[in-house]
Amino acid sequence: MSLINPKSGTLFACFSPPVMLTTFAIEIGYLIYVIWRYKMNALARLSAALLFFLAMFQISEYFVCGGNHDANLWSRIGFVSITLLPPIGIHLIHTLAGKSWNNITGAAYGMAAVWIGVFAFFENAFAGHQCTGNYVIFQVKPGLGGLYFVYYYLWLAVGSWLAYQYAKTVKKKDQKSLYMLAVGYMILLVPTTTVNLLKPETQEGLASIMCGFAVLLATIVVFGILPKSGTKRIVK
C-alpha cells in the first residue's frame, strides 16, 4: 500500500524511510509524554520501555536504509530492540492483572535473552539486508529466521490469550485495559499474517511490516490503557 502526495507527486510507501522516521518521531513523542504525565510505577515503566524499543527499531530501520551507516550494526540494534518487545508485553499484561513475577514472564525474558545474545554477538547472524520500496528485508542467517518467527508469534499468541483470560478476573478499569491490550496484539498479528498469506514474499520483511503496525499498539497503550490504569502526576 502507498500514499501519493497530490501536490508534490511524492510517493510515500508504507514502512519506507520517510514513514519510518515519522513513526520514530511519534513513538518518541509518546515516550516523552508518558514520562511527563505518569508516575513511573511498574506499569508506566513497562509502557515507556515498550515505546522506547519500538522507536529504536524504527530508527534502526531508517539508518539501515538511510545512507552511509553501518547497516550490520543497526540491524543488530534493531533486532535486539524488537526481541525485547514480547517479554515486555507479557510483563505488562501480568502487571495490569496484578500478578507478581512468574514462570511465564521469566520464560519470555529468558528466551529473549538467548535471541539477544544471537543478534548481538553471533558474527553471522545477518546475511545482509535489502531496502525495498515498502519495507526493509533483514536477511537473517538461514535457519535462524524460521526459529525467530516461531519465538515472536508464540509470545504474541500467548500474550493475546493471557490478556483475554486475566481480563475476566480483574476490576473493571484494568479489565478494559487488558481487553485493549489483547486488541493491540491482534492489530499486530492479523494484518501481518494476512499480508504474508496474500503475498508470501513479504515474509522476509515481517519485522519491518509488523513494527509499522506497532505504532497502533503504542497509541492504544498511551491513550487507552494508561489513562485507565496508570497513575497520573499532579501537573500544576
Side-chain angles (χ1 to χ4, degrees):
M1 181 175 67
S2 303
L3 300 175
I4 298 177
N5 184 323
K7 293 184 179 180
S8 65
T10 303
L11 177 68
F12 294 97
C14 290
F15 323 126
S16 64
V19 177
M20 294 168 193
L21 198 58
T22 301
T23 304
F24 167 76
I26 291 170
E27 289 166 349
I28 287 296
Y30 284 174
L31 173 62
I32 293 170
Y33 172 75
V34 167
I35 293 172
W36 169 76
R37 192 70 182 90
Y38 293 93
K39 292 183 178 180
M40 285 292 106
N41 55 18
L43 177 61
R45 287 196 300 271
L46 288 167
S47 299
L50 191 76
L51 295 167
F52 174 78
F53 288 116
L54 280 172
M56 283 303 299
F57 183 77
Q58 292 294 342
I59 201 64
S60 297
E61 281 192 302
Y62 179 77
F63 283 133
V64 165
C65 292
N68 297 321
H69 303 284
D70 187 337
N72 184 268
L73 172 62
W74 282 103
S75 293
R76 293 178 186 277
I77 293 171
F79 266 72
V80 167
S81 297
I82 62 168
T83 296
L84 280 164
L85 296 179
I88 290 172
I90 295 293
H91 198 170
L92 185 63
I93 289 165
H94 281 96
T95 300
L96 283 169
K99 308 287 184 182
S100 58
W101 183 281
N102 57 31
N103 291 336
I104 297 175
T105 308
Y109 278 112
M111 289 180 69
V114 172
W115 281 109
I116 287 170
V118 169
F119 292 130
F121 303 112
F122 185 40
E123 185 177 353
N124 298 316
F126 296 95
H129 71 280
Q130 181 181 350
C131 300
T132 73
N134 290 297
Y135 48 81
V136 183
I137 294 175
F138 293 95
Q139 295 165 336
V140 181
K141 187 177 178 65
L144 287 178
L147 290 174
Y148 190 67
F149 177 88
V150 171
Y151 158 77
Y152 226 90
Y153 264 71
L154 169 67
W155 286 111
L156 287 180
V158 169
S160 300
W161 182 81
L162 284 175
Y164 179 75
Q165 292 299 318
Y166 288 153
K168 300 174 183 178
T169 64
V170 298
K171 51 190 176 183
K172 191 171 183 178
K173 66 183 182 70
D174 293 329
Q175 181 185 65
K176 290 181 178 179
S177 294
L178 284 165
Y179 280 137
M180 282 191 286
L181 195 54
V183 170
Y185 270 59
M186 288 297 102
I187 287 173
L188 289 181
L189 284 170
V190 175
T192 52
T193 302
T194 302
V195 170
N196 290 161
L197 289 173
L198 294 175
K199 298 185 70 176
E201 65 271 19
T202 62
Q203 291 178 13
E204 292 182 320
L206 178 65
S208 179
I209 294 169
M210 185 173 285
C211 277
F213 285 109
V215 69
L216 299 176
L217 172 61
T219 302
I220 288 172
V221 170
V222 174
F223 297 108
I225 293 172
L226 283 172
K228 293 184 180 299
S229 299
T231 303
K232 293 182 179 178
R233 297 182 188 273
I234 298 175
V235 180
K236 297 182 180 180

